Amino acid sequence: MVTRDDVAKHAGVSVAVVSYVINNKAIVKEETRQKVLRSIEALGYNPNLAARSLKTKRTNQYGVLFNNLGNPFETGISLGLEEKARELGQSLIFQTFLRAEEEKLKTIFMGRTDGLILLGQSLQETTVQYFGKLGLPVYSITTPVHAHPSVRCIDIDWYKAMTDLLRHLKELGHTRIAFMGNANAEHPHHVRYLQFRRALEALGLSFDPASLMQADGRLESAYGVMKSHLADTSRLAFSAIVCANDLMAIGVLSACKDRGLAVPRDLSVAGCENILMASHTTPSLTTIHYPRRESGFLAVECILRREGGDAAQEAAEHLEHKLIVRESTGECRA
Amino acid sequence: MVTRDDVAKHAGVSVAVVSYVINNKAIVKEETRQKVLRSIEALGYNPNLAARSLKTKRTNQYGVLFNNLGNPFETGISLGLEEKARELGQSLIFQTFLRAEEEKLKTIFMGRTDGLILLGQSLQETTVQYFGKLGLPVYSITTPVHAHPSVRCIDIDWYKAMTDLLRHLKELGHTRIAFMGNANAEHPHHVRYLQFRRALEALGLSFDPASLMQADGRLESAYGVMKSHLADTSRLAFSAIVCANDLMAIGVLSACKDRGLAVPRDLSVAGCENILMASHTTPSLTTIHYPRRESGFLAVECILRREGGDAAQEAAEHLEHKLIVRESTGECRA
DNA sequence: TTGTAAGCGTTATCAA
DNA sequence: TTGATAACGCTTACAA
């Protein structure tokens, strides 16, 4: 390996000067600077990042915890994260978050990371404190970590989003609207459920608890839940269903197809997130667009500047959702 | 930050002993070992990974270069990589590969990586040599880097896979079969195209050059190409089409739907890879299953053991594809 | 079985 | 404007 010492020797200067040149300290005489640069080029030298990190206490690496990269929603955010990180000269370490291995995070990231970005997880008290003590900022996309105000959250305004979607359904004549998703407090979809309920109420519609379809976010899960629901029920208690994400909506579509239910004639189906597939299903899916790339951008920008909560929150307010009306929602005929 | 020195002081031993304990050197007396462990626990100590890397020249990190994580195929492989890496205590740095920034890889990964895993890219001569000189192994999934035998490639046997698929189509009576994909030599789909042609020939079928539909792998691209092809053509010159990946096949399905072409009645459509969506389109998609997770496993296992080419190649031969017949292919009626 | 001390490749302080 | 040199936190001979 070519080290800075080799460069110094080759250029006939001291090791310090090489450092100065690399780090663009202005003090170096242009002539020596060129000499050093030529040596760097000639030897093919690249600074050892581990050594630099050790000295500077800065890694230019961030840990990204995801639940399931197979979910195009998380993937979309990751793409935004990666793009912005690269632009700003930062690297990302991607890891599946496993609750059982939360403790390991401390070990894995020690001295290797300048902060953490969560894609919907809720860390434990002690973990957050640990990183806080180390001065490592933690940002969360989509899921507020209520217990820890130090963890900043980046998300769209789900109340507004749900209001847009429900108003659309109401205008089509729907009054009995179901919800599919995981409504438990620890789940990332909890916020969506809560705001769905709030928006529903604000529009003067009531919610039948029996119309809460618990599914875990995966397509197969939604498919299974809907299929057995349709098997058990002679007549649906709702004319429209809002799914916490598009994957589940697609699962619902599949189940309806299997059971001979026509969408949107017999049932209107809406998703959230607007993943690519949402526009290529049959029928195509009405959904709420979530600015995934932009939220990734924002997270990296904020964490790099270590901006306090206010700035992040303010920026997050500019994260705009958008109602996308397609074929899967139609007039209520029931 | 708590360092090893703090632990040593707290436990009343020398720094070396702390290291011995951490690295499980057997020589430490059980009593002192416990004492040290208690101190580690009490202080909440975790070894600084940058410092360790600097000393040991081992990072337990691997760089993963992808083209587009938005593609579920790459995502699937990444999930396999991540799962196995975590199991083996390794971390992954994910980066989009940009040809224009290939040079930067040397800088970004210097001293921070034990090797590179490519998801379909072809690195330049100099880059490969650079990493070779550093002793960093490079593995490629799906795309052989012909110029560099040192870069090991992990892939399924596309000749066999295409033969299975084409035999299926032939049995349905198809003789005029189109191909959609990027057939250029540098593109990851090139292998699929080549083996498609070989398999076609081996089955005694001929290929009409006009039936090569160039699309870049994305759904939208395929959709556009197919749509304009259908607009320009009064009568299709083929009765079946094989797409180099499922995304494009889904785009073709969309285009057919838009143009009022019934699949598989008017046209049989097949994809490759068997992504999740392939079983949820209308009609569902006939395709070749690619063991994405397994190929990710294999890549990490091989790169960790720094296994030579033969072992990797042999292992890769156990990577089994599988023909999945669904609704999108049917009897030839033309 | 434990301790001392020399590095790993940097950065940064302080003199020169 | 440059050059010594002391860290950074760790591993690992080698000595004790």
Side-chain angles (χ1 to χ4, degrees), chain B residues 280-295:
Chain B
H280 290 277
T281 49
T282 306
S284 58
L285 205 60
T286 292
T287 188
I288 293 165
H289 178 75
Y290 193 108
R292 297 185 282 284
R293 191 158 159 268
E294 291 76 8
S295 67

Side-chain angles (χ1 to χ4, degrees), chain B residues 158-292:
Chain B
W158 280 104
Y159 177 69
K160 280 197 212 157
M162 285 297 181
T163 300
D164 287 354
L165 177 54
L166 289 174
R167 187 176 293 134
H168 162 67
L169 290 173
K170 192 181 174 188
E171 280 167 3
L172 290 170
H174 297 281
T175 54
R176 295 162 306 135
I177 303 176
F179 182 89
M180 175 177 273
N182 188 327
N184 297 327
E186 325 82 58
H187 195 276
H189 289 165
H190 183 60
V191 177
R192 305 182 189 188
Y193 173 63
L194 277 187
Q195 303 304 336
F196 165 83
R197 291 291 303 269
R198 267 189 67 207
L200 202 62
E201 193 168 350
L203 288 171
L205 298 175
S206 63
F207 184 69
D208 175 3
S211 294
L212 173 58
M213 317 263 288
Q214 282 275 357
D216 69 6
R218 290 174 311 115
L219 195 159
E220 298 88 335
S221 150
Y223 175 77
V225 167
M226 192 62 187
K227 200 159 175 179
S228 59
H229 184 85
L230 291 175
D232 297 345
T233 324
S234 56
R235 202 160 155 281
L236 278 179
F238 46 84
S239 64
I241 182 168
V242 170
C243 303
N245 70 14
D246 291 337
L247 278 181
M248 290 192 289
I250 294 174
V252 168
L253 250 34
S254 271
C256 289
K257 179 185 162 196
D258 281 11
R259 294 293 185 200
L261 216 64
V263 175
R265 204 198 55 201
D266 303 330
L267 177 69
S268 281
V269 177
C272 291
E273 298 178 358
N274 191 30
I275 62 176
L276 175 61
M277 275 314 304
S279 50
H280 290 277
T281 49
T282 306
S284 58
L285 205 60
T286 292
T287 188
I288 293 165
H289 178 75
Y290 193 108
R292 297 185 282 284

Side-chain angles (χ1 to χ4, degrees), chain A residues 1 4 19-20 45 52 55:
Chain A
M1 180 169 57
R4 189 215 37 186
S19 268
Y20 297 149
Y45 166 74
R52 176 178 288 172
K55 186 63 189 170

